[in-house]
Amino acid sequence: MDRKRELTSVDCAALAGELRAFVGAYHEKSYLYDDDLLRLKLSGPNFGRIELLIEVDDPKRVHTITPDRVPNAPERPPNFAMMLRNRLEGAQLESVEQFEFDRILQLRFERSDDHTTIIAELFGDGNLAVLDETDTVIDSLETVRLQSRTVTPGSQYEFPSARFNPLTVEYETFVERMRQSDADVVRTLATQLNFGGLYGEELCSRAGVPYNQAIEETTDAEFEALYDAVNDLSTRLREGDLDPRLYFETDDQETPVDVTPVPLVEYEEKPSEPFDSFNDALEAYFLGLEQEPDEEETGSNRPDFEAEIEKQKRIIQQQEGAIEDFEEDAEAQREKAELLYANYDLVDEVLSTVQDARAAETPWDEIEATLSAGKDQGIPAAEAVRDVDGSEGTVTVQIDDHHIELDADTGVEKNADRLYQEAKRIEGKKAGAEEAIENTREQLEAVKQRREEWEASDGDDGDEADGESEEGADVDWLTRESIPIRTSEEWYERFRWFHTSDGFLVIGGRNADENEELVKKYLDRGDLFFHTQAHGAPATILKATGPSEAPPDDISIPESSREEAAQFAISYSTLWKEGKYAGDVYCVGPDQVTKTPESGEYLEKGSFAIRGDRTYYDDTPVGVAVGITCEPETRVIGGPPSAIAGQAETAIEVEPGRYAQNDIAKRLYREFKGRFADESFVRKVASPDLLQEFLPAGGSRMVEE
């Protein structure tokens, strides 16, 4: 069986209960790894040290971890982690909640002046969002812009549409929802009641009901047995009556395949190991999952193309199933709307009866009693009513085989229009799923292509097992399964920088302070100074030599390097943020740049006076490429495309566009991960924060999009 790689809704319910034991603990520090794994360090006199991991990519997990097993802290805390440290300084954990029955956990921290909520979305692509006391998004790992919801900094956080919660359902509603299904029992429990496949089968086994039994063949006694099984599971989760188990495929207990908060009848034949807490069981399971790909001996350096191909095929099957579900749901909404019009008089009578009663200030319970009495009298409109919910102001009617929830305050037309709009919304989700499936198919073809290329070369890396290429050898770093990390720190890396295609260093300031420093300390004889006509641009220096070297009198900087320096200056100016694609740049010698203003003038911080003639580069186009180098060093580089293309193993060109700086950095990161066979290499040398350092301020998009 496939190994579990994400928490279920049942897992989240159990986990939220256990984590509530840490309410009152103080936040000490936050760490972010690889842009998808958050570590929260908590402590308190009653708790000791608590290390909590939240991972939202692959795998998707939340659990505590033994302090001596925590990963080493990143050398440079990403911006997201620094933001959390500032927000949570001195804050206490106030609550841990699951949102409805979804794979969403909410951790709320409070301090005297404000509170902060961390939302862990453990479904779909996964996400982490940080909210302030008004539930406004401060920051998120991923920006979500869908028809149904938006998650972006500065917006009000929107949960996805709430899933039906089977853990709190009354018996009558449970039976009604089951009877609405035209699928078998196990599929109805899995989809309509949101238990998923495993727990759908588990509930059937506990109740003694055949998996594939049709709903219409299910007896009242079997419905009662199923409800008892649901209620028993709900009670155990609510009261924290857990008995966590780690399950193994074979008796050697070397490969765990699942972890559950309670023992499962479905797994009673599998070897298992009990744990005192669900958090401990999750830690043991995911530790084993992490070790699997790197530590198992395979006896071959051949990449497991077949496993990746099967994974992509499974994803495509899931996406195809989702598209079918969207089509069915949209059609069902349209059919309900059409039924309202086909039974206009009956529905209008129901709504008018309720509206007249509400206008007379009749309580909802009396309205429900009146409709019930009308049903006993054989009144057709009353007989159609199946439920009255005063808390929501809705009335549910049954027409043919459909149960249709009506807004009691509006008429037939508006209720039908609402259903039509819901059908359109679902079709919008279907369009998104169709786009996603095309991307997955492209990934599948890319894996097949890599397999063909490997087999064509017999997977031979020659004598380069140590990662060092022979002199003059042409190494295809993109297909290498392991790339050695070789880095060093240079003095200019705290500024904006790149090397021209001729090998000259260009540096620029990120702000007024750095502009001042560059001109005072690093503008030497033989250098060239570049700036734009527009306000708000980096002081750009094309270095003739290093900072401690004396330039020769006859040094000549090629025109190609000058043009690249001009493009660098214009690209990192305010013109990019304004969405403009070209501007004028001038070039002068170092002796023409001064901080002494003309009489009666004033120079702002980071500004300079220019004396004498200037050389202009008119209509210089903006343009930036970001790339990754593998030799002689492994690092991110960025600058004019003509310079970066010849230095990077692979590069992506960007232009002014609609994605915010942090969003485009994440898109570049995902694109680079897809280009390298060694994804861990990309995580180590080209995290989104490192990529962002080479991007202009303002919106951008990939040129190839």
Side-chain angles (χ1 to χ4, degrees), residues 32 35 76-81 139-141 143 153 493 495-497 510 572 576 624-628 636-639 654 659-670 672 685-700:
L32 184 67
D35 204 43
R76 302 174 58 178
N79 297 333
F80 190 87
D139 200 0
S140 59
L141 294 185
T143 296
E493 289 183 31
F495 305 110
R496 292 197 182 279
W497 65 274
R510 297 179 183 273
Y572 292 100
W576 188 287
V624 169
V626 181
I628 299 176
V636 177
I637 60 174
V654 297
Y659 297 107
Q661 195 181 54
N662 61 328
D663 290 339
I664 188 64
K666 293 170 186 174
R667 295 174 73 86
L668 293 176
Y669 172 68
R670 288 193 290 267
F672 280 128
V685 305
S687 68
D689 281 333
L690 290 173
L691 293 168
Q692 188 171 332
E693 292 184 4
F694 292 90
L695 293 169
S700 302

Side-chain angles (χ1 to χ4, degrees), residues 143 182 213 272 352 368 466 524 533 538 666 668:
T143 296
D182 57 2
Q213 179 172 284
S272 66
S352 297
E368 186 172 11
D466 61 353
D524 298 318
Q533 289 292 91
K666 293 170 186 174
L668 293 176

Side-chain angles (χ1 to χ4, degrees), residues 5-7 32-39 53-63 80 103-105 107 118-129 140-142 286 666 670 673:
R5 303 197 68 84
E6 57 186 38
L7 300 183
L32 184 67
Y33 306 79
D34 296 340
D35 204 43
D36 61 12
L37 173 61
L38 177 67
R39 169 185 155 206
L53 297 184
I54 304 174
E55 190 167 12
V56 296
D57 187 7
D58 182 19
K60 294 180 176 67
R61 54 171 174 154
V62 177
H63 59 83
F80 190 87
R103 288 171 290 169
I104 300 177
L105 290 175
L107 288 78
I118 299 175
I119 305 285
E121 299 181 353
L122 305 172
F123 62 89
D125 293 333
N127 200 6
L128 274 173
S140 59
L141 294 185
E142 298 289 341
F286 284 106
K666 293 170 186 174
R670 288 193 290 267
K673 282 180 66 176

Side-chain angles (χ1 to χ4, degrees), residues 564-620:
E564 288 172 349
Q567 187 173 41
F568 176 88
I570 199 72
S571 297
Y572 292 100
S573 72
T574 54
L575 292 183
W576 188 287
K577 185 182 292 187
E578 295 168 359
K580 298 179 180 178
Y581 283 80
D584 298 338
V585 182
Y586 64 81
C587 168
V588 296
D591 56 345
Q592 295 177 256
V593 184
T594 177
K595 281 295 294 181
T596 304
E598 297 287 352
S599 177
E601 293 182 353
Y602 169 75
L603 290 176
E604 295 179 352
K605 190 175 193 178
S607 298
F608 308 93
I610 306 297
R611 309 277 195 255
D613 296 335
R614 311 177 187 189
T615 300
Y616 279 91
Y617 293 84
D618 297 331
D619 293 325
T620 298

Side-chain angles (χ1 to χ4, degrees), residues 37-276:
L37 173 61
L38 177 67
R39 169 185 155 206
L40 298 176
K41 182 178 179 181
L42 311 174
S43 68
N46 300 323
F47 309 104
R49 178 180 170 187
I50 306 163
E51 295 284 358
L52 180 65
L53 297 184
I54 304 174
E55 190 167 12
V56 296
D57 187 7
D58 182 19
K60 294 180 176 67
R61 54 171 174 154
V62 177
H63 59 83
T64 57
I65 185 171
T66 308
D68 60 6
R69 286 179 172 172
V70 298
N72 294 328
E75 294 182 5
R76 302 174 58 178
N79 297 333
F80 190 87
M82 293 304 297
M83 175 274 298
L84 271 179
R85 294 180 188 183
N86 293 331
R87 289 284 310 181
L88 299 181
E89 183 178 5
Q92 284 182 285
L93 181 63
E94 189 270 336
S95 66
V96 181
E97 302 292 339
Q98 179 187 25
F99 173 67
E100 296 295 339
F101 191 57
D102 216 329
R103 288 171 290 169
I104 300 177
L105 290 175
Q106 309 171 70
L107 288 78
R108 176 180 166 126
F109 290 84
E110 285 197 349
R111 60 185 184 188
S112 59
D113 56 341
D114 58 24
H115 75 252
T116 302
T117 303
I118 299 175
I119 305 285
E121 299 181 353
L122 305 172
F123 62 89
D125 293 333
N127 200 6
L128 274 173
V130 180
L131 318 182
D132 67 9
E133 58 275 10
T134 66
D135 289 339
T136 298
V137 179
I138 301 168
D139 200 0
S140 59
L141 294 185
E142 298 289 341
T143 296
V144 178
R145 292 186 178 92
L146 303 174
Q147 290 184 342
S148 57
R149 63 191 294 253
T150 299
V151 180
T152 185
S155 67
Q156 283 291 114
Y157 179 79
E158 298 177 71
F159 285 103
S161 300
R163 290 155 56 94
F164 176 79
N165 190 344
L167 302 184
T168 59
V169 67
E170 297 293 335
Y171 175 70
E172 291 77 12
T173 307
F174 169 80
V175 174
E176 182 179 4
R177 193 171 183 90
M178 293 287 290
R179 289 194 185 279
Q180 289 176 7
S181 173
D182 57 2
D184 55 27
V185 174
V186 70
R187 289 183 61 192
T188 301
L189 289 168
T191 58
Q192 300 303 311
L193 271 77
N194 299 321
F195 275 111
L198 173 61
Y199 281 94
E201 295 175 354
E202 176 69 16
L203 292 168
C204 286
S205 296
R206 293 188 181 193
V209 177
Y211 294 168
N212 300 324
Q213 179 172 284
I215 288 293
E216 58 266 24
E217 297 175 3
T218 305
T219 66
D220 290 343
E222 288 174 323
F223 278 130
E224 290 179 4
L226 287 168
Y227 182 75
D228 287 343
V230 171
N231 196 44
D232 177 67
L233 177 62
S234 174
T235 300
R236 295 191 66 172
L237 293 173
R238 184 174 61 254
E239 297 179 354
D241 180 20
L242 308 181
D243 184 7
R245 297 298 173 95
L246 196 64
Y247 288 98
F248 301 87
E249 189 66 61
T250 56
D251 290 333
D252 59 18
Q253 296 195 359
E254 289 185 356
T255 306
V257 292
D258 204 348
V259 55
T260 62
V262 295
L264 299 188
V265 175
E266 290 298 297
Y267 286 167
E268 60 185 1
E269 300 299 324
K270 293 185 180 296
S272 66
E273 178 183 353
F275 282 79
D276 293 333

